[in-house]
């Protein structure tokens, strides 16, 4: 098979022919799956596509789809969240692109790997953002960050919507006021009440998807909302640890253990595979020892500690809830011999009762 000409990661049939290929060569590459058809007559080399992360694969699908649609359609909902690099639900269908059509005379349409919603979108809720995929930079017409967050708060399950919104506010892509204003404009749209209720639970002090998702999911099942990112100090006021969640009434620490938290601040691994594996083992051992010392110090201050991972939060939520409720019942605030420091509470959250420290 002749060598392909120099083509960008995403290219059309017209571009391939303009680069010197024949129609037969184009058809042959599609037939043999050397090229992947992301949309009609829009392709990516299969070898390159397979090397991309699921997020970048979705971004390519968004770009390919927008090339084949009219200017009155733009990336929205989870596809816009993907462009903004916001945390997506674990069950997000990577190949399904979501667009919003601003022509409200039309109706919502479902196509293979494409959902086109229909909704009014004023100029203040449309934007263009440039994204880079496989070294190629291209503009994306899409909903603004505020509109994207509002749409996802309405459409996603509340824990997923809040986790996405927490990240957007934490990164200052938008504000709670802007998201609330977008939800107000959607007051008679589907799932509007879900969106407003979810917005009341948004808290950008939480630092990871797992914290946001699990705290909200447990709260909806009846657990009080813990105070996030609290610094625990010893009797002399020296900082011991910053914990994911804290119940002051029973001196209970909550730790949502996503894998990434153990390597925050670490440099990249060596490129050599064996050296990289050895370094990873050393880092893991060092990190686990640090975590063990940290936990012993916290327990010496009279606090209880409960930790969980993604599997516990997503697949065994009620078992986790029972475990945390039992830990709260065992807790005793009078045994706590330290102090606490809280981050400022967002103004839209009802201030929690806090122990003076």
């Amino acid at each position: 098979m002749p060598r392909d000409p120099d083509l960008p990661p995403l290219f059309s049939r017209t571009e391939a022919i303009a680069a010197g290929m024949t129609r037969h060569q184009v058809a042959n590459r599609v037939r043999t799956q050397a090229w992947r058809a992301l949309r009609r007559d829009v392709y990516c080399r299969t070898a390159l596509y397979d090397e991309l992360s699921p997020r970048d694969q979705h971004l390519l699908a968004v770009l390919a789809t927008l090339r084949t649609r009219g200017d009155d359609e733009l990336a929205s909902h989870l596809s816009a969240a993907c462009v903004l690099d916001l945390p997506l639900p674990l069950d997000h269908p990577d190949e399904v692109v979501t667009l919003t059509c601003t022509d409200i005379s039309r109706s919502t349409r479902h196509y293979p790997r494409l959902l086109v919603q229909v909704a009014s979108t004023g100029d203040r809720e449309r934007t263009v953002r440039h994204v880079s995929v496989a070294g190629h930079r291209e503009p994306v017409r899409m909903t603004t960050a505020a509109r994207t967050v509002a749409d996802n708060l309405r459409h996603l399950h509340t824990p997923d919507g809040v986790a996405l919104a927490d990240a957007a506010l934490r990164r200052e892509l938008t504000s709670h006021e802007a998201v609330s204003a977008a939800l107000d404009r959607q007051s008679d749209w589907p799932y509007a009440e879900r969106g407003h209720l979810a917005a009341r639970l948004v808290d950008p002090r939480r630092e990871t998807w797992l914290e946001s998702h699990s705290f909200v999911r447990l709260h909806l099942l009846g657990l009080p909302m813990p105070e996030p990112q609290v610094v625990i100090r010893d009797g002399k006021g020296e900082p011991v640890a910053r914990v994911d969640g804290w119940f002051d009434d029973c001196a209970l620490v909550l730790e949502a253990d996503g894998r990434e938290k153990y390597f925050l601040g670490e440099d990249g691994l060596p490129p050599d595979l064996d050296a990289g594996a050895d370094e990873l083992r050393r880092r893991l051992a060092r990190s686990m020892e640090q975590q063990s010392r940290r936990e012993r110090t916290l327990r010496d201050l009279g606090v209880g500690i409960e930790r969980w991972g993604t599997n516990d939060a997503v697949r065994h939520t009620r078992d986790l809830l029972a475990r945390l409720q039992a830990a709260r019942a065992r807790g005793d605030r009078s045994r706590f011999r330290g102090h606490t420091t809280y981050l400022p509470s967002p103004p839209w959250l009802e201030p929690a009762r806090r122990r003076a420290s």
Side-chain angles (χ1 to χ4, degrees):
M1 180 181 295
R3 182 187 180 100
D4 288 354
D6 187 20
L7 292 167
L10 189 67
F11 55 91
S12 66
R13 177 190 296 269
T14 301
E15 289 172 318
I17 291 173
M21 300 192 72
T22 67
R23 295 181 184 277
H24 173 75
Q25 287 173 334
V26 170
N28 186 54
R29 279 158 177 75
V30 176
R31 180 181 58 79
T32 60
Q33 299 183 358
W35 290 358
R36 184 184 183 95
L38 298 178
R39 283 294 155 196
R40 183 178 177 85
D41 294 338
V42 183
Y43 310 104
C44 175
R45 288 183 295 275
T46 301
L48 171 62
Y49 182 89
D50 290 344
E51 292 177 352
L52 297 176
S53 68
R55 182 180 295 273
D56 281 352
Q57 290 176 352
H58 187 82
L59 287 177
L60 270 187
V62 170
L63 292 169
T65 303
L66 289 173
R67 286 191 181 193
T68 65
R69 312 295 300 186
D71 290 342
D72 60 352
E73 295 181 5
L74 59 157
S76 64
H77 297 77
L78 283 177
S79 289
C82 187
V83 175
L84 294 170
D85 198 24
L86 293 173
L88 307 179
L90 295 181
D91 59 355
H92 170 237
D94 295 322
E95 292 191 347
V96 179
V97 172
T98 303
L99 305 182
T100 289
C101 176
T102 60
D103 182 355
I104 60 175
S105 67
R106 299 163 72 177
S107 57
T108 296
R109 288 150 290 158
H110 295 261
Y111 303 95
R113 298 177 294 158
L114 173 62
L115 170 63
V116 181
Q117 304 273 7
V118 177
S120 59
T121 306
D123 290 342
R124 61 182 172 179
E125 292 187 329
R126 300 172 58 115
T127 189
V128 174
R129 188 181 183 92
H130 285 77
V131 296
S132 295
V133 184
H136 182 68
R137 187 171 174 83
E138 190 165 334
V140 181
R141 59 182 187 274
M142 58 181 289
T143 51
T144 61
R147 171 64 182 267
T148 298
V149 171
D151 284 340
N152 282 296
L153 285 174
R154 286 188 302 110
H155 280 268
L156 295 181
H157 294 302
T158 298
D160 287 319
V162 173
L164 186 152
D166 283 354
L169 268 64
R170 183 170 61 251
R171 290 170 49 199
E172 299 182 344
L173 297 177
T174 185
S175 66
H176 194 270
E177 293 78 8
V179 172
S180 296
L183 287 168
D184 288 342
R185 291 190 291 272
Q186 301 172 350
S187 59
D188 59 349
W189 292 14
Y191 318 118
E193 184 61 23
R194 178 196 290 171
H196 280 291
L197 292 174
R200 297 171 194 166
L201 300 175
V202 173
D203 190 340
R205 295 177 296 174
R206 296 185 286 247
E207 291 190 341
T208 67
W209 175 88
L210 184 57
E211 288 174 43
S212 298
H213 185 278
S214 54
F215 286 3
V216 171
R217 190 165 185 170
L218 291 163
H219 177 68
L220 294 176
L221 291 174
L223 193 73
M225 189 67 80
E227 192 72 18
Q229 296 301 316
V230 173
V231 175
I232 308 297
R233 300 178 182 274
D234 62 20
K236 298 178 181 179
E238 295 297 319
V240 171
R242 185 171 57 150
V243 299
D244 295 338
W246 170 250
F247 283 128
D248 190 74
D249 61 344
C250 56
L252 179 64
V253 164
L254 306 181
E255 293 282 71
D257 287 340
R259 289 175 297 174
E260 71 274 7
K261 73 185 295 179
Y262 293 110
F263 300 108
L264 291 177
E266 295 274 8
D267 294 330
L269 293 172
D272 177 78
L273 185 60
D274 290 336
D278 290 342
E279 178 60 19
L280 184 60
R281 284 192 288 269
R282 284 193 292 271
R283 291 185 188 184
L284 181 59
R286 182 171 64 245
S287 178
M288 297 305 293
E289 175 58 28
Q290 291 171 347
Q291 287 294 317
S292 179
R293 289 198 302 270
R294 174 179 180 269
E295 184 165 324
R296 288 195 299 270
T297 304
L298 286 170
R299 292 192 186 280
D300 287 345
L301 291 175
V303 306
I305 302 173
E306 290 293 332
R307 61 179 69 251
W308 63 89
T310 303
N311 190 55
D312 299 310
V314 174
R315 295 186 174 87
H316 306 289
T317 315
R318 292 194 177 274
D319 291 342
L320 175 60
L321 174 65
R323 176 154 58 91
L324 296 181
Q325 288 173 328
R328 280 179 53 76
R330 293 193 304 270
D332 185 351
R333 183 62 173 77
S334 66
R335 292 200 296 260
F336 180 48
R337 295 185 298 279
H339 306 278
T340 54
T341 301
Y342 296 79
L343 295 174
S345 178
W348 61 87
L349 293 178
E350 181 180 351
R353 281 186 291 175
R354 297 169 178 174
R355 180 183 176 88
S357 300

